[in-house]
Amino acid sequence: QVQLVESGGGLVQPGGSLKLACAASRAIFSTLPTTWYRQAPGKEREWVAIRTSGYSADYADSVKGRFTISRDNAKRILYLQMNNLKPEDTAVYYCNRPLGEGKYAHTWGQGTQVTVSS
């Protein structure tokens, strides 16, 4: 079974940066995670950024211009570079591969906590 492991979160001041990483052990290349999500306390999980099959990306409006998604194919790690962080970015961040109709390729990992606070 594929295990998703997110890392790189932490406590950062507003305006700061973090780089998250998502590793998928035992995943074959075609099922590697492509999307970052986040869930803030009391809110539903929302998508943040997706890396499409054409090596392009799309972002939620709330993070556009501040976050960058990328993947190291050799290492099979999905990254999320987050710049100019805001308190509203505080959430647990997860990665996965959406299959449509609310389904996902893998069981959710533990996520990584990002807290933006002064």
Side-chain angles (χ1 to χ4, degrees):
Q1 183 178 357
V2 173
Q3 182 180 11
L4 299 178
V5 179
E6 299 90 350
S7 62
L11 173 63
V12 64
Q13 292 185 344
S17 298
L18 286 173
K19 187 173 185 177
L20 307 184
C22 163
S25 62
R26 297 185 291 277
I28 60 175
F29 191 84
S30 63
T31 68
L32 288 175
T34 60
T35 307
W36 282 98
Y37 302 84
R38 67 186 181 186
Q39 187 168 18
K43 295 187 178 181
E44 293 187 352
R45 186 174 291 160
E46 62 177 358
W47 82 275
V48 174
I50 183 169
R51 183 181 177 278
T52 65
S53 59
Y55 297 93
S56 60
D58 198 11
Y59 301 90
D61 288 343
S62 59
V63 307
K64 201 168 293 184
R66 301 187 297 120
F67 290 11
T68 303
I69 188 171
S70 62
R71 190 167 77 191
D72 185 324
N73 287 331
K75 295 181 179 179
R76 300 190 173 190
I77 297 178
L78 186 71
Y79 296 101
L80 185 68
Q81 176 67 46
M82 306 187 296
N83 298 327
N84 191 21
L85 283 161
K86 303 177 180 180
E88 50 264 42
D89 295 318
T90 295
V92 179
Y93 284 71
Y94 303 87
C95 62
N96 214 319
R97 186 183 185 95
L99 300 178
E101 300 181 343
K103 298 180 181 179
Y104 301 90
H106 310 297
T107 301
W108 293 97
Q110 294 297 310
T112 185
Q113 174 72 49
V114 172
T115 303
V116 185
S117 175
S118 55

